[in-house]
Amino acid sequence: MSSRAPSWIDALRTRLGEGLSRRGPAPRGRARFDLRGRLLLVGAALGVCALALVGRAAYLQLISNEFYRKQGDERFMRKVPIATSRGMITDRNGEPLAVSTPVESIWAVPQEALKAQGRLPALAAALGIDAEALNDRLIQRRNKDFVYLKRRIGPAEARRILALGIPGVYSQREYRRFYPQGEAIAHVLGFTGIDDHGQEGLEYAFDHTLSGRPGLKRVIRDLHGRTVEEVDLLRPAEPGQNLTLTIDRRIQFLAYRELKQALADTHAVSGSAVVLDVATGEVLAMANLPSFNPNAVGAASRDAHRNRAVTDVIEPGSTMKPLTVAAALEAGVITPNTVFDTNPGWIPNGRWKTTDTHNYGVLDVTGVIRKSSNVGSAKIAMRLTKEQMYDFYSRFGYGHVPGSGFPGESPGNLPKPDGWSGTTKQTMSYGYGVSVTPLQIARAYAAIGNGGRSVVPTFIKGQTGESEQILDPKIAAEVLRMMQTVTEPGGTATQAAILGYHVAGKTGTAWISSNGGYSRRYNAFFAGLVPVDRPRFAMVVVLKDPEPTLGYTGGLVSAPVFRNVMEGALRLMDVPPDDIDTWLAVQASADAKRARVAGRPGAAVAPAPALPVVAPPAATPPVVMQRPVSAAAMPPALDALPSAGGAR
């Protein structure tokens, strides 16, 4: 290889030499310019920089790439929730009470939608909203990537909206709650909100169980927000668990229908009805009026949402008397044969009087309950100490939360004995000075019918409530037989009688407290058990403020509701009759009348009364019976009217 420098270097040197010759000789002491060295130095520096850039790029791409990969994914990859259906609520027989149906929700990317400004009026018309309001909403959220336009609509409506082809408008799958029974069971179930979470009732109490767990998936979306690929399933959707209630929708509908009819007939302000299974504490029905449609919650007033049977406290009136009698029997201060002189129909009670509607004279303990004597009840209470009365009422659940698990249960109000005045025992013995809920009354009566064993009420099938023996079975049976006379001739609730069955119960007609005193308006009660031989159902009916001119006593307005509901419940549950003798007597009388009528030309012949179809025990031959006729034709007996300090 020649050591001669390249020609271009020679040319450069010549040019530089000429330039120097023009300028004169080079300054003394300055080193000669080394162009080659400098060029090599610059080349080396550029090579090092290039190598550093390549190394850095390799490091970021191959080794430390997590941050930039994440940043890139965020620009086109999204985590999208997968909607899941809420668990179904059914009655005890598996009939649906609350189901979730798939719906669509329309949403938009505001910036994209605003680009099609001229098409927004058509979108607003399809959504059923004001065009200006839609435009303002999009402008206010223009920095967002997501905004709901309309939620929970039908799939067909969603398709019509998407068919407009407006940029930035999309839909997503959601679920909406539907209640087939409507307002008949609204207070028990409650309802869900816009996000399908329980707001009231059992929907709220068991929201965690019913809600399930939404899924999650990773998808790739284009710049218009459309999903172009599903990348990964991060978490599968878990549907909510189903919930089976103790409610029987057939009995529930009967209770609601009869209660509604009673309010229409009496012009009462509100009403409640509770049906319990005596042995298990299961709530078979719980109806309230006014009600609301849970499928259109916004159409009803907030006051109509309240489940009055568990939240509203009322003074129980004469429904307290069987408990007073039971307390005295347990304490041994009376026997079933003890008599009380109620003459002249009243006794002093502080600055008031405890009075009866009539002067019943001398009554035994059964007569006190049958005639609903305030005077007799007060005289029984005088034989008890304050502590004995308080302890007994407390054992029956008064003053304590029933424990059914329903949200907002009220414990009522049972004052402590140290706060009682000299007349408290008298007034409390017939239901004043203590406040309870209809559910608490039903639970107390169920304990009497269950041989003195109290069971915590429950709404969930298969959930066994705690039970406790709170009364001697013999005393419970004695009180039950006393209450049976209330529905028999001479009692205050003959309209609660059911042909073919012995019915035990107690009426109540209590003044409504107002402004520190009592108004001339009433709460009408009936609490009953059927059949007496082996009680299956306990039911409480409360009507608040019925119109006095249309009837307002418990025996007149509440007892018929009990009868009509229990007639249906006994038939539906195949409960055998325990009073066939009465049915036979009525049938014989009807047969004789039919025979007389049949002898008249052209006369219509009424059918004989019939008993319900009942499946007898397997060990006996099958016996087919038919449904009984209504006992509505029986002569009514008005519940005794309350007076100052008294209730009937």
Side-chain angles (χ1 to χ4, degrees):
M1 178 180 296
S2 174
S3 60
R4 181 177 175 79
S7 59
W8 65 272
I9 296 178
D10 291 338
L12 181 61
R13 285 176 177 174
T14 302
R15 296 287 296 268
L16 290 174
E18 293 176 354
L20 290 174
S21 63
R22 294 192 197 100
R23 296 180 182 181
R28 293 181 179 181
R30 176 178 292 182
R32 190 171 182 82
F33 180 80
D34 187 0
L35 179 62
R36 183 175 183 179
R38 291 194 176 190
L39 290 174
L40 291 174
L41 181 62
V42 171
L46 291 175
V48 171
C49 291
L51 184 62
L53 290 174
V54 171
R56 178 62 177 170
Y59 175 78
L60 294 178
Q61 292 290 331
L62 302 177
I63 301 175
S64 181
N65 59 2
E66 184 64 29
F67 173 77
Y68 292 98
R69 180 187 298 175
K70 183 178 179 181
Q71 291 296 313
D73 288 346
E74 286 183 355
R75 281 152 177 79
F76 64 88
M77 194 172 291
R78 297 288 185 269
K79 292 180 180 179
V80 179
I82 304 173
T84 184
S85 62
R86 192 173 177 85
M88 182 168 60
I89 301 178
T90 67
D91 80 340
R92 65 186 303 108
N93 300 311
E95 295 293 334
L97 301 177
V99 296
S100 290
T101 57
V103 292
E104 298 291 328
S105 289
I106 302 298
W107 63 279
V109 179
Q111 290 184 355
E112 294 183 21
L114 287 171
K115 294 177 182 178
Q117 193 78 29
R119 304 183 65 183
L120 291 183
L123 175 61
L127 293 170
I129 60 178
D130 182 70
E132 185 175 348
L134 173 62
N135 187 65
D136 292 343
R137 186 176 186 183
L138 293 173
I139 291 176
Q140 291 171 2
R141 295 166 175 80
R142 66 188 313 158
N143 295 326
K144 305 290 184 181
D145 293 328
F146 184 97
V147 59
Y148 278 116
L149 300 182
K150 192 171 185 179
R151 299 191 67 179
R152 301 166 68 180
I153 62 177
E157 183 180 356
R159 285 194 295 269
R160 288 195 298 269
I161 296 173
L162 295 178
L164 297 175
I166 298 175
V169 178
Y170 311 97
S171 71
Q172 72 178 27
R173 171 64 56 86
E174 290 188 319
Y175 289 88
R176 181 179 181 181
R177 209 62 163 163
F178 177 66
Y179 302 93
Q181 306 301 317
E183 60 185 34
I185 196 172
H187 295 99
V188 174
L189 299 179
F191 55 89
T192 58
I194 190 69
D195 293 315
D196 209 29
H197 286 287
Q199 301 297 302
E200 293 186 11
L202 297 180
E203 289 275 28
Y204 174 78
F206 295 92
D207 184 65
H208 180 73
T209 301
L210 293 165
S211 291
R213 187 184 183 194
L216 191 65
K217 62 183 179 181
R218 183 180 287 114
V219 301
I220 295 176
R221 285 180 171 172
D222 62 13
L223 59 88
H224 300 295
R226 295 172 297 195
T227 299
V228 296
E229 182 182 353
E230 293 188 2
V231 178
D232 190 17
L233 177 63
L234 302 179
R235 183 179 67 239
E238 299 176 8
Q241 300 178 34
N242 294 339
L243 195 65
T244 302
L245 305 186
T246 59
I247 296 291
D248 188 305
R249 70 177 183 87
R250 302 166 300 176
I251 301 177
Q252 177 72 28
F253 178 75
L254 283 173
Y256 174 77
R257 183 189 68 185
E258 297 301 327
L259 193 64
K260 188 173 184 179
Q261 186 62 50
L263 259 68
D265 293 341
T266 65
H267 296 177
V269 173
S270 63
S272 297
V274 179
V275 181
L276 295 183
D277 186 296
V278 168
T280 65
E282 293 178 333
V283 181
L284 299 176
M286 181 178 285
N288 294 274
L289 283 167
S291 188
F292 66 97
N293 183 359
N295 297 303
V297 178
S301 66
R302 183 69 181 173
D303 184 64
H305 295 175
R306 195 168 68 251
N307 187 345
R308 302 170 189 272
V310 298
T311 63
D312 285 17
V313 293
I314 44 182
E315 290 179 302
S318 292
T319 61
M320 201 76 164
K321 290 172 184 173
L323 300 186
T324 302
V325 168
L329 289 171
E330 181 184 75
V333 297
I334 64 170
T335 70
N337 298 321
T338 303
V339 296
F340 296 92
D341 186 359
T342 66
N343 287 299
W346 63 272
I347 56 174
N349 186 2
R351 60 193 184 96
W352 302 96
K353 292 190 299 184
T354 292
T355 68
D356 288 333
T357 303
H358 305 287
N359 181 4
Y360 297 118
V362 178
L363 296 172
D364 61 8
V365 177
T366 300
V368 170
I369 291 181
R370 182 177 65 251
K371 295 297 184 181
S372 195
S373 171
N374 294 338
V375 174
S377 181
K379 288 192 171 185
I380 292 173
M382 291 177 187
R383 301 191 180 193
L384 294 166
T385 65
K386 295 188 296 184
E387 289 73 19
Q388 286 173 326
M389 287 185 66
Y390 174 83
D391 175 69
F392 193 86
Y393 295 155
S394 179
R395 267 189 281 150
F396 272 77
Y398 291 178
H400 304 284
V401 173
S404 69
F406 195 92
E409 279 185 321
S410 173
N413 179 35
L414 180 64
K416 300 285 186 180
D418 54 11
W420 293 12
S421 67
T423 62
T424 299
K425 284 201 303 179
Q426 289 189 43
T427 55
M428 193 175 287
S429 73
Y430 47 81
Y432 286 99
V434 57
S435 298
V436 298
T437 65
L439 179 59
Q440 287 177 309
I441 300 175
R443 181 188 178 188
Y445 273 63
I448 295 175
N450 197 29
R453 177 168 290 276
S454 177
V455 182
V456 174
T458 178
F459 287 90
I460 307 304
K461 187 177 181 181
Q463 184 181 79
T464 304
E466 296 181 3
S467 65
E468 179 184 3
Q469 191 71 37
I470 60 174
L471 181 63
D472 186 279
K474 181 181 178 181
I475 295 176
E478 289 174 344
V479 174
L480 192 64
R481 294 297 177 183
M482 294 177 188
M483 290 194 295
Q484 180 181 330
T485 65
V486 173
T487 65
E488 296 175 342
T492 58
T494 56
Q495 292 205 51
I498 301 173
L499 187 59
Y501 296 88
H502 291 299
V503 177
K506 187 68 193 75
T507 55
T509 309
W511 287 347
I512 298 176
S513 60
S514 176
N515 299 323
Y518 290 95
S519 64
R520 287 285 179 176
R521 313 295 290 187
Y522 305 92
N523 285 322
F525 301 85
F526 183 80
L529 296 154
V530 64
V532 170
D533 285 358
R534 294 186 64 183
R536 177 68 184 276
F537 305 119
M539 181 176 181
V540 172
V541 180
V542 182
L543 296 180
K544 181 179 180 181
D545 194 12
E547 176 57 43
T549 60
L550 299 175
Y552 62 93
T553 61
L556 188 61
V557 300
S558 297
V561 177
F562 171 90
R563 179 196 66 227
N564 294 337
V565 175
M566 287 295 98
E567 278 184 341
L570 291 165
R571 181 179 72 255
L572 291 168
M573 295 297 195
D574 288 337
V575 179
D578 64 343
D579 188 20
I580 296 180
D581 291 340
T582 300
W583 176 80
L584 292 174
V586 173
Q587 185 183 50
S589 176
D591 288 342
K593 183 176 180 180
R594 291 172 69 245
R596 291 194 301 271
V597 173
R600 303 174 188 173
V605 180
L611 285 175
V613 178
V614 177
T620 61
V623 178
V624 179
M625 302 178 182
Q626 297 180 350
R627 182 185 177 186
V629 296
S630 171
M634 294 186 176
L638 295 183
D639 204 10
L641 302 179
S643 59
R648 298 302 299 273

